[in-house]
């Protein structure tokens, strides 16, 4: 399916993710007209960086006119609030997709306002890429390269098809029923992302463990150490690069994570309980050689991550 079904893109929110998506389109696609909607200072910077052709602020409707693809890169709460207005003003042939870090609430909200195949179509998404520093100043055209990009399927059959299609073409993963989705998948492949189909609950469970829990663990460790700084800066003055690597996520602002935590509370609460039990188990093993098995498991997981 030709990606040329999508020639005009409007990016709502040109921070780290939205700005990086616009820059990626500029670098890896041709003939694409890119518009942006955000605060005046933010869209001006996006224009200065050459990420967008046209900038909008204030009223949303003008930014959506003639768009083939509407890419929502806003916080979760703002995305949910704007979905009804986007559904009213988006052109009927348009594909609307989001980049939010949790999907169940987004999918529920979108299902209530988007008409389906006879109007603008909504597709949930989540690029598994980011940095601890937010904003257009840190946007990067290569942010998505070689990283998974979650696409939210409406049915279990699509998820199964997506898993099978990873060895072939992801276009076979339930996307052929609508050419707009197939065209978007082609764009994702062009910018170097690895599309992966899964259900919204499955997504929120997976990222709760693989992304959100590590963030909270980094926050807990960093705040624990901060509370124990003495007048000489110890223990941090003796910290090596290992601690900086371990606490990279601690540089993320709460404003980035507020909506994520609030919309994935059940998964995170259960994950924190299980993680706390694992810490208790480690403490009980401190004086035994049984701790070696935990190190071995950790080493194996590290190897898996390096191979992704």
């Amino acid at each position: 399916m030709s990606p040329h079904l999508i020639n005009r893109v409007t990016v709502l929110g040109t921070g780290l993710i939205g700005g990086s998506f616009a820059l990626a389109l500029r670098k890896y696609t041709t003939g694409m007209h890119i518009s942006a909607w955000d605060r005046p200072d933010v869209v001006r910077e996006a224009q200065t960086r050459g990420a967008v052709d046209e900038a909008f602020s204030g009223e949303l409707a003008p930014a959506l006119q003639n768009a083939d693809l509407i890419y929502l890169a806003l916080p979760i709460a703002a995305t949910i609030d704007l979905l009804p207005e986007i559904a009213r003003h988006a052109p009927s042939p348009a594909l609307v997709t989001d980049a939010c870090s949790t999907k169940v609430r987004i999918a529920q909200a979108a299902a209530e306002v988007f008409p389906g195949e006879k109007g603008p179509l909504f597709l949930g998404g989540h690029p598994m890429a980011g940095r601890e520093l937010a904003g257009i100043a840190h946007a990067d055209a290569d942010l998505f390269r070689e990283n998974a990009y979650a696409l939210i399927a409406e049915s279990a059959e699509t998820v199964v098809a997506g898993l099978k299609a990873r060895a072939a073409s992801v276009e076979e993963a339930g996307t052929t029923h609508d050419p707009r989705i197939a065209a978007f998948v082609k764009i994702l492949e062009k910018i170097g992302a690895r599309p992966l189909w899964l259900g919204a609950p499955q997504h929120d469970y997976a990222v709760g463990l693989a992304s959100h829990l590590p963030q909270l663990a980094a926050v807990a460790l960093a705040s624990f150490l901060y509370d124990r700084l003495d007048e000489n800066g110890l223990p941090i003055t003796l910290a090596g690069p290992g601690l900086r690597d371990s606490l990279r996520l601690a540089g993320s602002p709460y404003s980035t994570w507020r909506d994520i935590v609030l919309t994935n509370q059940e998964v995170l609460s259960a994950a924190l309980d299980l993680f706390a039990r694992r810490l208790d188990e480690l403490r009980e093993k401190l004086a035994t050689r049984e701790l070696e098995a935990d190190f071995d498991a950790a080493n194996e997981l590290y190897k898996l991550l390096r191979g992704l």
Side-chain angles (χ1 to χ4, degrees), residues 120-138:
L121 180 66
F122 183 84
L123 172 68
H126 179 204
M128 298 308 300
R131 290 176 174 167
E132 67 275 16
L133 300 174
I136 181 66
H138 304 286

Side-chain angles (χ1 to χ4, degrees), residues 245-266:
D245 292 344
S246 298
L247 294 183
R248 181 181 64 83
L249 295 176
S252 296
Y254 174 65
S255 57
T256 298
W257 285 91
R258 179 193 59 221
D259 291 354
I260 297 172
V261 172
L262 291 175
T263 55
N264 210 17
Q265 291 181 61
E266 186 175 348

Side-chain angles (χ1 to χ4, degrees), residues 3-9 32 68-69 95 180 183-184 187:
H4 298 297
L5 281 174
I6 298 176
N7 296 302
R8 300 182 66 87
V9 178
M32 197 77 73
D68 303 314
L69 173 68
L95 175 68
R180 291 171 288 187
F184 179 60
I187 287 174

